[in-house]
Amino acid sequence: MSASSTQITIEPLGRTFGAAIGNVDLSRALDDVTFAEIEAAFAKWSVIVFRDQKITPDDQVRFARRFGDLEINAFEKHALEGYSGVLKISNIVEDGKPLGYADAGSFWHTDMSYTKTPPRLTMLYALEVPLNADGTPKGDTWFASAVDAYDALDDATKRTIDGRTATHFFGAKKRGVKKPVQVTQEQLDKNPPVDHPIARTHPVSDRKAIYVTADECTGISGLPETEALRLLKQLSDHVVKPEFQYHHKWQVGDVLMWDNCAVQHVVHRDYDFPPDRRMMHRVTVNGSVPF
Ligand code: SIN
């Protein structure tokens, strides 16, 4: 653990990415120096978590807005009342009504890549975390480093994807999902297919990341469909190899943020309601056109 010139501490969690940031109280407005250190830690570690936080939706929005404007999600019907930018992610059903969006993160993806300017970051605040009988958490979020995965590609594959784009589509058939979420015509109209570079450059670190997922990409520029789907599957399978992964074990009070330009994620669905209760408040912060 290393102390900074202010008070933040950084404890690495994964092999090459993921870190716990200490000595930060997100219920208070942060001074500029502390925020700059957090921003730098985020660019370096891609997934950062602040443990033992007790924050209100206003606190979460205030902190997230230091990074940029909030996005409104395609599933905004699950937004917290009075907070269009805060989405409730939950499997809890009360009086027959879901308390939040239950199916978020059920396949490997990077958030809202089907938009022209996908969000730079996503932040979850853990309010309820289901537990196993031995007290260990259920519902880990698994992350995979798409930058480590790019670095590990052989030169021939790097040459093949260099300069090519892939098509991302909100309505893509989710091959890896048992019970796909029903999407509406309005959501499809708002989110037409969009092309992004297969190897995107990180806006801060300049490192390249593989920016395709098997379940949200439908084609590759200049390649026939069969060849494109084969390459998309090969690249997507490569990104999520165990050696590129960090699994986050949630604690109530965690505020965790991930960098959508650098990692992909999926939630490990080893929990079910009832009796398991999982509740997260999620915000996403806008990004720029991938290049
Ligand atoms: C998400 O993909 O936004 C949700 C991930 C999670 O609930 O762990």
Side-chain angles (χ1 to χ4, degrees):
M1 203 180 281
S2 59
S4 69
S5 60
T6 58
Q7 295 154 334
I8 81 163
T9 58
I10 300 174
E11 178 194 354
L13 296 173
R15 204 174 50 85
T16 62
F17 71 103
I21 308 295
N23 284 350
V24 175
D25 178 358
L26 296 177
S27 71
R28 293 163 186 269
L30 300 176
D31 63 77
D32 289 347
V33 175
T34 305
F35 179 71
E37 297 202 347
I38 291 171
E39 211 177 14
F42 180 56
K44 176 167 177 189
W45 294 96
S46 305
V47 176
I48 58 174
V49 61
F50 306 86
R51 301 278 198 193
D52 302 320
Q53 300 294 316
K54 254 203 172 94
I55 58 169
T56 63
D58 283 323
D59 295 333
Q60 186 173 6
V61 168
R62 182 187 57 237
F63 177 50
R65 286 190 60 117
R66 294 292 293 267
F67 294 90
D69 289 335
L70 303 193
E71 295 278 359
I72 305 299
N73 193 273
F75 295 96
E76 66 179 289
K77 66 175 185 188
H78 296 297
L80 186 66
E81 208 175 310
Y83 295 87
S84 58
V86 181
L87 198 66
K88 289 180 288 176
I89 307 269
S90 185
N91 68 329
I92 305 169
V93 179
E94 273 177 8
D95 299 329
K97 285 205 195 103
L99 287 201
Y101 179 30
D103 296 307
S106 48
F107 54 93
W108 281 105
H109 67 290
T110 162
D111 286 328
M112 295 164 70
S113 67
Y114 49 79
T115 59
K116 280 203 180 103
T117 54
R120 167 76 201 286
L121 69 91
T122 304
M123 184 188 294
L124 294 190
Y125 174 42
L127 292 141
E128 294 189 67
V129 175
L131 298 176
N132 289 298
D134 66 359
T136 55
K138 293 185 184 180
D140 296 358
T141 305
W142 294 2
F143 296 95
S145 170
V147 284
D148 288 350
Y150 177 85
D151 287 348
L153 286 176
D154 57 62
D155 288 344
T157 310
K158 282 184 182 162
R159 276 195 302 276
T160 304
I161 63 176
D162 194 34
R164 284 193 196 274
T165 57
T167 305
H168 297 240
F169 181 39
F170 177 73
K173 191 169 172 333
K174 313 283 190 288
R175 289 176 291 274
V177 180
K178 283 196 206 104
K179 243 186 8 180
V181 179
Q182 290 303 313
V183 295
T184 63
Q185 192 55 46
E186 190 191 350
Q187 287 172 319
L188 292 174
D189 292 344
K190 271 195 195 158
N191 296 286
V194 61
D195 285 359
H196 295 306
I198 296 179
R200 78 173 287 184
T201 306
H202 193 278
V204 179
S205 72
D206 259 2
R207 289 180 71 189
K208 284 199 172 170
I210 298 173
Y211 197 61
V212 295
T213 61
D215 285 320
E216 286 191 315
C217 290
T218 54
I220 292 181
S221 57
L223 289 188
E225 190 182 3
T226 320
E227 204 180 324
L229 293 181
R230 189 193 51 73
L231 184 55
L232 287 170
K233 177 154 181 11
Q234 179 198 324
L235 292 169
S236 315
D237 289 350
H238 173 71
V239 172
V240 303
K241 282 180 181 158
E243 60 263 40
F244 305 130
Q245 291 188 25
Y246 159 67
H247 295 178
H248 186 69
K249 299 212 163 291
W250 289 96
Q251 295 171 15
V252 169
D254 280 356
V255 173
L256 178 143
M257 42 197 273
W258 64 81
D259 184 342
N260 286 302
C261 315
V263 299
Q264 296 187 9
H265 63 281
V266 67
V267 62
H268 183 49
R269 287 300 301 241
D270 59 348
Y271 58 96
D272 226 340
F273 180 85
D276 296 325
R277 296 172 62 96
R278 190 174 188 271
M279 172 62 84
M280 308 271 168
H281 282 179
R282 171 178 133 151
V283 296
T284 43
V285 174
N286 69 353
S288 46
V289 175
F291 57 92

